């Protein structure tokens, strides 16, 4: 890595609000031509503290694209400041312009719910209603998610209100036309999700749809293959199920039943 690349790398993390930088594996020695190191040699972090990296963004020809160039993120070493808090993460996001999704957003959708909840739901990104309100899952899909949480928990004898869990997304700004977030957007904004999850320390995470499962599990498998089985993000159990917007389509009634089954497993694991 050249001194210029190291400098860009450090600036990237500084922009994310990360001030205590540790790297693993240790950075290779600078080339002989380098006059002086850009930063003091950091302590290597234990490998177990690292989060599975997102796959790198595929190269794209953006010469005719109306979009600005992709986020020039160097290979990510996921990490978070020590003693991180939700307030600190929110402050670090600020009026974020770290990726192109800032361009059309109205409101950043940080997340909502009980920050002490043992259960966190992770979706893909805000839609139009969420972008307008600044709150996650408030449109039709959100209403279905509320029904899923409150209806299933009621039936299972674990009465739970939606406000008692925490809900957030992989990206905090609405992608144009509700498109799927691009890998580099997920990689940059995903760092805030990782910090949120580490600060929240839930007993379990429920991934809603394939974007969330890709972000947390790094798996290329689709929801149909991943759903219903426990996986892990770091040491936290993860259950993948369908995104509520997929369940709203009338021909997905079987998926609805499966999603309810997945949710039952999560609720009993967390609250029994
Ligand atoms: S999606 Fe995330 S990284 Fe991109 S501008 Fe919004 S808050 Fe920043």
């Amino acid at each position: 890595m050249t001194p210029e690349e190291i400098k860009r790398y450090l600036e990237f993390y500084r922009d994310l609000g990360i001030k205590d930088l540790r790297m693993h594996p240790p950075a290779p020695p600078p080339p002989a031509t380098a006059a002086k190191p850009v930063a003091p040699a950091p302590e290597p972090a234990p490998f177990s503290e690292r989060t599975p990296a997102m796959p790198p963004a595929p190269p794209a020809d953006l010469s005719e694209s109306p979009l600005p160039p992709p986020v020039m993120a160097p290979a990510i070493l996921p990490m978070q400041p020590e003693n991180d808090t939700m307030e600190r993460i929110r402050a670090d996001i600020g009026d974020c312009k770290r990726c192109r999704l800032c361009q059309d957003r109205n409101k950043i959708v940080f997340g909502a719910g009980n920050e002490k909840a043992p259960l966190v739901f992770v979706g893909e990104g805000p839609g139009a209603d969420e972008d307008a309100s600044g709150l996650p899952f408030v449109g039709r899909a959100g209403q279905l998610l509320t029904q899923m949480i409150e209806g299933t928990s009621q039936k299972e004898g674990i009465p739970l209100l939606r406000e008692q869990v925490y809900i957030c997304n992989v990206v905090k700004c609405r992608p144009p036309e509700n498109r799927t977030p691009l890998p580099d957007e997920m990689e940059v904004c995903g760092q805030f999700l990782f910090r949120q999850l580490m600060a929240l320390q839930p007993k379990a995470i429920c991934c809603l749809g394939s974007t969330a499962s890709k972000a947390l599990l790094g798996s290329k498998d689709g929801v149909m293959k991943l759903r219903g089985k426990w996986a892990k993000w770091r040491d936290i159990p993860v259950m993948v199920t369908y995104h509520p917007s997929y369940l709203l389509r009338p021909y997905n009634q079987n998926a609805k039943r499966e999603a309810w089954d997945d949710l039952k497993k999560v609720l009993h694991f967390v609250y029994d």
Side-chain angles (χ1 to χ4, degrees):
M1 197 182 276
T2 65
E4 187 52 36
E5 285 171 331
I6 294 171
K7 186 160 170 273
R8 276 204 359 247
Y9 187 92
L10 293 172
E11 284 170 354
F12 173 76
Y13 279 112
R14 185 202 57 202
D15 288 349
L16 283 175
I18 293 169
K19 282 130 193 148
D20 306 317
L21 187 63
R22 293 180 295 162
M23 297 175 74
H24 180 89
T33 52
K36 55 181 179 179
V38 171
E43 283 295 309
F47 201 76
S48 60
E49 287 183 13
R50 298 180 59 190
T51 308
M54 293 296 307
D61 177 9
L62 296 172
S63 53
E64 294 184 11
S65 166
L67 295 173
V71 178
M72 296 306 291
I76 298 283
L77 291 181
M79 55 191 76
Q80 59 283 315
E82 280 180 28
N83 305 318
D84 211 3
T85 62
M86 298 293 270
E87 292 75 26
R88 187 170 172 184
I89 300 164
R90 200 186 279 268
D92 286 343
I93 290 179
D95 184 25
C96 184
K97 294 186 170 48
R98 294 173 181 89
C99 85
R100 66 180 76 77
L101 295 183
C102 69
Q103 289 186 321
D104 297 318
R105 71 150 186 255
N106 286 303
K107 291 194 173 158
I108 292 176
V109 181
F110 180 76
N114 179 0
E115 295 183 357
K116 294 195 170 17
L119 177 56
V120 174
F121 288 85
V122 179
E124 177 176 301
D129 295 313
E130 291 77 15
D131 178 60
S133 67
L135 294 168
F137 283 92
V138 291
R140 282 182 66 221
Q143 287 160 19
L144 180 57
L145 180 63
T146 306
Q147 272 177 35
M148 288 167 70
I149 295 169
E150 299 189 356
T152 312
S153 63
Q154 188 77 39
K155 273 192 202 143
E156 295 301 303
I158 317 164
L160 188 65
L161 296 174
R162 172 189 159 130
E163 302 79 65
Q164 292 172 285
V165 303
Y166 194 83
I167 302 175
C168 56
N169 286 305
V170 176
V171 295
K172 314 294 183 211
C173 301
R174 182 192 182 198
E177 312 295 330
N178 294 340
R179 66 159 167 76
T180 305
L182 299 176
D184 61 341
E185 295 158 357
M186 288 168 61
E187 188 163 19
V188 175
C189 206
Q191 296 301 307
F192 293 121
L193 171 66
F194 298 157
R195 286 178 60 188
Q196 283 177 301
L197 294 174
M198 289 307 287
L200 291 165
Q201 283 293 314
K203 190 171 172 189
I205 299 166
C206 185
C207 283
L208 301 168
S210 62
T211 299
S213 60
K214 271 186 201 138
L216 292 189
L217 305 179
S219 170
K220 288 193 179 128
D221 289 335
V223 173
M224 282 185 203
K225 200 155 179 196
L226 294 173
R227 62 149 291 273
K229 298 182 278 257
W230 287 105
K232 270 197 175 175
W233 178 77
R234 301 200 176 181
D235 286 333
I236 304 174
V238 173
M239 175 66 72
V240 175
T241 194
Y242 298 100
H243 193 284
S245 60
Y246 177 79
L247 302 175
L248 284 171
R249 299 173 201 168
Y251 45 86
N252 287 336
Q253 291 311 302
N254 282 342
K256 226 173 193 172
R257 269 191 294 278
E258 289 173 339
W260 256 258
D261 285 343
D262 300 339
L263 198 50
K264 274 193 236 169
K265 280 188 201 169
V266 174
L267 291 171
H268 283 293
F269 174 79
V270 174
Y271 294 100
D272 275 355

